Amino acid sequence: MDHTVSSKIILPFSGRTKRNVNEVTNLANAQVNKEYVIKEVKTDDEELKNFLFTLGCYEGETVTVLSVVSDNLVISVKDARYSIDKDLAEAIIV
Amino acid sequence: MKVALAGNPNSGKTTLFNAITGRVEHVGNWAGVTVEKKEGNIKKSLVEGNADIIAVDLPGAYSLSPFTSEESITSEFVKKENPDVIINIVDATNLSRSLFFTTQLLELGIPVVIALNKSDLSKKKGITINVAALSEKLQCPVIETVSTVTRKNGLQDLISAAVSVKGKKQKSPFEGLEVDLTDKKSVEAADKKRFELVKAIVAEVEDRKTSSNRQTRQDAVDRVLAHKWLGIPIFALVMWAVFSISQTYVGPFFADTFVGWIDTFNGWVEGLLGDRVSPVLKAILLDGIIGGVGAVVGFLPLIMVLFFLLALLEDCGYMARVAVVMDRFFKKVGLSGKSIIPMIIGTGCAIPGIMATRTIKNERQRRTTAMLTPFMPCGAKVPVIALFAGVFFNDSAWVGTLMYFVGIALIIIGALIVVRITGEKNKRSYFIMELPEYKFPSIKRALVEMFSRAKAFIVKAGTIILLCNAAVQIMQTFNWKFQVVAEGAENTSILATIASPFAILLIPLGFGVWQLAAASLTGFIAKENVVGTLAVVYSITNFIDTEEFALINGATDVAGVMGLTSAAALAYLMFNLFTPPCFAAIGAMNAEMEDKKWLWGAIAFQLFTGYTVAFVTYQAGTLITTGAFGSGFLPGLIAVTAMIGCVAYLMKKGEQKATAKSALKSA
């Protein structure tokens, strides 16, 4: 959350309504077509975390957002494509 | 000897299972199609020395971890079934993920053979896998397979390999992974190590020309098909095309010929019986059994074409995108994205659809999905739709399309109501779904699917529907004193006296006659019965005219016999589609809900929905077409308002529960 606060302070007059693209904190605001390394999967839902793990989606692994469709993201993890929703994207910290 | 097939979802287990056993289990190009294990004998042509081998197809899983509910179904199976050999189906296009599960299987102490499936696809993608090296690393046989073709598919080698390892001890290549399964930390650490091992193996044996995280044409197609605003119109267009082909063009073309045969058969039997047989018996046989069953079976070609097209859609990978498009709406009403899978399976038959809810972990979401899945028009409802589309609406494709979308709309509204009643609307749910690659659908697979549906349909028509039609004919012929009812006194028949009280309730819906009420009632046994019973009670042996192309010509006649306006016909169609499903589906709901209160609530809700939808359709339709409300408007309005009042009261109570809960949390 610190990031958001600081970005508001640093860029008050930049005229951008969106957050600075350099400040990617989770997959929901990640750039499309760029490889990220997962820092953490932040959720209380242990089952979800375990499930993501078995797909190879855990800290230290790479993930790429390929497109945004119907409010969901299409991501590539290992060699598969998944569609995930915004809530889940926000839980994947990169 | 028993062989278990295990592997990731959508790795092609069921396709391989069908290929080695010759069975025709339903296959879908997406995760979660198989929820129950299936067993079959392996074809003798694949086995050397004619040994009996049973293959067990297990639901797909990504791991055997004891902490995930979906996976535990699979691990339970593996433990309980105690197979002699496990065939691990590994998707050759995704080694790095698939092998994680493999490493776990290798530790069970059961010999493992790896089927490196989809090896044709991986080659096409420029992936080379050193099979010998992989086999050595994992210390188990690895066979390349392509289960979608009939020749040179590696299946014979696979079975011989499975036979040869039976009873042999395989050394697990992952020594030192001894973990305490009850300790979470230890399992996690071990699993991470496992992934490291997999990575090391993949790095050595696999050579990829292109990295898979680059945007491809697939992604471009996704952006259109799963587009926020275009997604639904495209889906509607696709469904309309499906109905247009199956119901307006290709289906009737075959149906005409087919119904001609049934008519000829009817005439032949009539000739055979001659004049010696009593007219009552003759009527039961000709009008009841052959006529009623024939009326239902007449729709067989339409159903076959429909299922052929739906199988193509499923196979090409489109349905997974539909799930993505729908997720947005489902989430807003408190359902999980996973709820879509049962509903799409439900377009075939509601029973496997309801069973597929098992993978939804949240109890309320699972029960709600089981309760709403029957709103999707299933295969048995297709003849009913086709009949009404043909008789009243000129075979228009929009009727079927509309029914699908009304079904979806009712599911969304229903979910919204249920989530309020249970007072759990703030529950968050995540959505993740694998997007399979688009591919050219297999014609062969679609044909197989089509014939298996056709067979099931014929079997049902020849058993349960035949019996029902005979019963209806008998009940219509006799009165309670077992005398044949006289002409003009049809209202005294057993059937009429049973159905009449229900018919009164249906007056505000525009179809308050005992014949239609009786057809709806028999529909609870099997929805095809609606068509069969209508044929019997109105003595119409065929709804599809043999002359010229057409329901169109016969249309006015049949419509005239039933005496329904278009508005009432549409209302009657919707009433039959959106009231509770057949008893078998209700049984499945009972099994998955595991709660009597939910079950009765669900049935009451389905009755409420069917009644209300039919009421609104009939009254609004009549108002538009004639400028005045239809018959029984006031009593109907009172009944519907009372029901809505009940639902609103329950919703309010649920809301209070929710507020109390959140107050408790914040305190």
Side-chain angles (χ1 to χ4, degrees):
Chain A
M1 280 336 257
D2 286 337
H3 281 288
T4 13
V5 175
S6 66
S7 76
K8 274 178 192 156
I9 296 165
I10 298 163
L11 305 158
F13 306 111
S14 65
R16 294 184 67 114
T17 46
K18 277 187 184 166
R19 211 178 295 167
N20 191 325
V21 283
N22 293 325
E23 279 193 67
V24 170
T25 50
N26 59 47
L27 271 193
N29 51 29
Q31 264 179 281
V32 170
N33 238 347
K34 190 175 159 192
E35 198 171 81
Y36 290 94
V37 175
I38 300 166
K39 282 203 191 105
E40 192 193 351
V41 176
K42 209 173 183 174
T43 168
D44 319 326
D45 189 340
E46 277 300 315
E47 179 166 340
L48 175 76
K49 203 170 169 175
N50 277 311
F51 181 67
L52 288 175
F53 181 87
T54 60
L55 302 179
C57 184
Y58 58 96
E59 60 269 29
E61 290 294 310
T62 59
V63 57
T64 311
V65 177
L66 290 168
S67 38
V68 182
V69 291
S70 294
D71 290 353
N72 284 357
L73 300 182
V74 177
I75 60 166
S76 163
V77 177
K78 299 251 168 207
D79 294 313
R81 273 168 170 59
Y82 303 92
S83 169
I84 62 169
D85 61 7
K86 204 159 153 272
D87 287 340
L88 183 50
E90 277 167 1
I92 301 174
I93 311 295
V94 291
Chain B
M1 174 172 167
K2 195 184 249 171
V3 176
L5 306 184
N8 285 177
N10 205 32
S11 60
K13 283 177 310 301
T14 305
T15 310
L16 194 132
F17 175 80
N18 286 348
I20 60 174
T21 58
R23 297 267 299 260
V24 279
E25 295 297 346
H26 181 69
V27 186
N29 177 19
W30 53 340
V33 174
T34 308
V35 283
E36 279 202 309
K37 66 153 194 191
K38 284 158 189 150
E39 271 190 11
N41 283 312
I42 293 182
K43 279 193 245 171
K44 290 280 187 266
S45 58
L46 291 171
V47 188
E48 281 169 56
N50 264 348
D52 270 325
I53 309 178
I54 300 166
V56 187
D57 181 26
L58 301 181
Y62 292 108
S63 82
L64 283 177
S65 300
F67 299 116
T68 46
S69 68
E70 213 172 341
E71 266 65 39
S72 62
I73 303 176
T74 307
S75 64
E76 277 297 299
F77 270 135
V78 174
K79 277 167 205 154
K80 208 169 67 195
E81 292 293 321
N82 199 19
D84 297 297
V85 176
I86 295 174
I87 293 182
N88 175 209
I89 290 103
V90 167
D91 182 347
T93 62
N94 197 343
L95 265 192
S96 51
R97 184 190 67 201
S98 315
L99 290 183
F100 177 77
F101 187 45
T102 309
T103 61
Q104 291 179 321
L105 290 174
L106 286 168
E107 279 162 40
L108 292 174
I110 300 166
V112 174
V113 175
I114 290 177
L116 200 57
N117 207 19
K118 303 192 186 176
S119 46
D120 53 334
L121 285 181
S122 67
K123 275 173 199 141
K124 226 181 262 170
K125 287 179 132 191
I127 305 167
T128 2
I129 296 167
N130 185 339
V131 178
L134 182 64
S135 168
E136 194 203 331
K137 288 270 172 206
L138 298 170
Q139 306 194 3
C140 72
V142 178
I143 317 288
E144 285 186 282
T145 56
V146 184
S147 41
T148 50
V149 297
T150 38
R151 245 171 273 214
K152 284 194 185 161
N153 49 19
L155 294 180
Q156 202 157 0
D157 297 337
L158 181 71
I159 304 302
S160 337
V163 173
S164 68
V165 295
K166 187 200 164 193
K168 284 199 187 127
K169 264 232 145 19
Q170 256 178 11
K171 220 174 111 224
S172 166
F174 307 104
E175 295 297 336
L177 270 178
E178 290 305 313
V179 282
D180 178 6
L181 282 177
T182 52
D183 177 32
K184 208 155 180 185
K185 277 259 149 54
S186 148
V187 174
E188 261 170 37
D191 279 352
K192 261 184 205 160
K193 221 169 176 180
R194 229 189 278 274
F195 254 127
E196 292 308 314
L197 282 166
V198 169
K199 246 189 258 179
I201 293 173
V202 172
E204 244 177 275
V205 304
E206 185 191 76
D207 180 29
R208 265 176 190 270
K209 287 245 162 60
T210 46
S211 160
S212 54
N213 63 1
R214 294 278 163 269
Q215 283 186 340
T216 60
R217 281 227 309 275
Q218 304 252 342
D219 298 293
V221 176
D222 276 350
R223 252 170 262 142
V224 178
L225 291 185
H227 186 270
K228 195 170 176 175
W229 303 116
L230 292 178
I232 300 252
I234 291 175
F235 182 44
L237 205 68
V238 168
M239 289 312 286
W240 181 82
V242 165
F243 276 102
S244 173
I245 296 168
S246 64
Q247 217 135 42
T248 316
Y249 298 105
V250 185
F253 179 76
F254 288 112
D256 280 348
T257 324
F258 192 62
V259 169
W261 295 345
I262 297 173
D263 271 355
T264 314
F265 178 69
N266 202 343
W268 179 73
V269 174
E270 194 176 1
L272 210 64
L273 293 176
D275 296 329
R276 284 162 297 160
V277 185
S278 85
V280 172
L281 199 67
K282 214 163 152 181
I284 290 173
L285 196 63
L286 293 177
D287 299 341
I289 295 178
I290 300 178
V293 174
V296 176
V297 172
F299 289 100
L300 180 67
L302 272 70
I303 288 175
M304 285 170 75
V305 176
L306 179 75
F307 278 118
F308 177 76
L309 295 171
L310 288 179
L312 290 183
L313 270 189
E314 210 176 335
D315 200 27
C316 72
Y318 177 60
M319 283 318 202
R321 274 73 186 182
V322 172
V324 173
V325 173
M326 288 300 180
D327 174 56
R328 201 155 41 114
F329 302 100
F330 276 48
K331 191 158 309 130
K332 286 210 178 95
V333 297
L335 283 180
S336 108
K338 270 190 185 165
S339 306
I340 299 156
I341 299 171
M343 288 167 189
I344 294 180
I345 295 175
T347 56
C349 172
I351 296 163
I354 291 165
M355 273 166 25
T357 58
R358 212 171 292 172
T359 58
I360 300 170
K361 198 199 158 211
N362 179 293
E363 199 170 59
R364 181 191 53 79
Q365 289 181 339
R366 187 181 68 235
R367 289 169 171 171
T368 311
T369 310
M371 156 178 179
L372 299 173
T373 296
F375 284 140
M376 284 312 281
C378 67
K381 290 173 180 171
V382 171
V384 189
I385 297 174
L387 167 65
F388 280 82
V391 170
F392 294 93
F393 302 101
N394 244 345
D395 261 332
S396 293
W398 66 260
V399 179
T401 315
L402 181 72
M403 291 309 121
Y404 270 77
F405 279 84
V406 169
I408 293 170
L410 289 177
I411 286 166
I412 289 174
I413 297 167
L416 196 72
I417 292 171
V418 174
V419 80
R420 299 273 153 121
I421 290 176
T422 53
E424 263 187 61
K425 60 174 169 170
N426 297 321
K427 177 93 183 143
R428 225 182 147 111
S429 76
Y430 296 105
F431 175 73
I432 176 161
M433 179 160 193
E434 186 170 354
L435 290 180
E437 269 184 60
Y438 290 107
K439 62 170 195 206
F440 193 81
S442 150
I443 304 286
K444 184 186 148 207
R445 186 187 278 188
L447 284 173
V448 166
E449 174 85 20
M450 177 181 93
F451 282 115
S452 106
R453 295 274 185 191
K455 191 178 148 204
F457 184 79
I458 291 169
V459 167
K460 203 171 166 193
T463 51
I464 189 159
I465 292 167
L466 188 145
L467 283 175
C468 285
N469 280 319
V472 166
Q473 176 70 29
I474 291 167
M475 284 160 75
Q476 177 184 243
T477 311
F478 295 99
N479 62 20
W480 289 99
K481 290 178 193 140
F482 284 100
Q483 292 158 336
V484 176
V485 291
E487 208 153 313
E490 283 87 1
N491 293 344
T492 58
S493 73
I494 298 177
L495 188 70
T497 45
I498 292 177
S500 293
F502 294 101
I504 295 167
L505 297 174
L506 303 180
I507 292 172
L509 314 185
F511 41 87
V513 290
W514 66 265
Q515 289 92 336
L516 294 170
S520 285
L521 286 175
T522 56
F524 291 115
I525 297 167
K527 288 291 168 183
E528 296 96 329
N529 269 335
V530 174
V531 173
T533 306
L534 286 178
V536 173
V537 294
Y538 289 119
S539 340
I540 306 162
T541 46
N542 107 46
F543 288 113
I544 303 168
D545 211 321
T546 48
E547 280 147 30
E548 295 248 3
F549 216 48
L551 290 161
I552 306 162
N553 298 342
T556 42
D557 301 349
V558 179
V561 170
M562 282 195 225
L564 290 176
T565 61
S566 313
L570 199 60
Y572 185 66
L573 173 59
M574 293 212 201
F575 180 75
N576 283 302
L577 299 190
F578 305 126
T579 43
C582 63
F583 290 132
I586 292 175
M589 273 162 56
N590 180 34
E592 300 304 327
M593 286 179 167
E594 300 172 310
D595 186 288
K596 285 283 176 291
K597 208 171 128 195
W598 265 89
L599 180 71
W600 289 111
I603 295 170
F605 184 77
Q606 287 161 344
L607 276 171
F608 157 73
T609 309
Y611 197 88
T612 308
V613 169
F615 176 74
V616 172
T617 307
Y618 170 61
Q619 297 293 351
T622 310
L623 187 65
I624 292 165
T625 48
T626 67
F629 284 116
S631 54
F633 175 70
L634 208 61
L637 188 70
I638 293 168
V640 168
T641 315
M643 285 192 283
I644 292 175
C646 271
V647 171
Y649 168 73
L650 288 172
M651 278 164 73
K652 193 144 184 245
K653 240 175 80 181
E655 208 107 329
Q656 282 163 355
K657 217 163 55 185
T659 341
K661 241 188 240 166
S662 61
L664 209 67
K665 238 182 218 166
S666 58

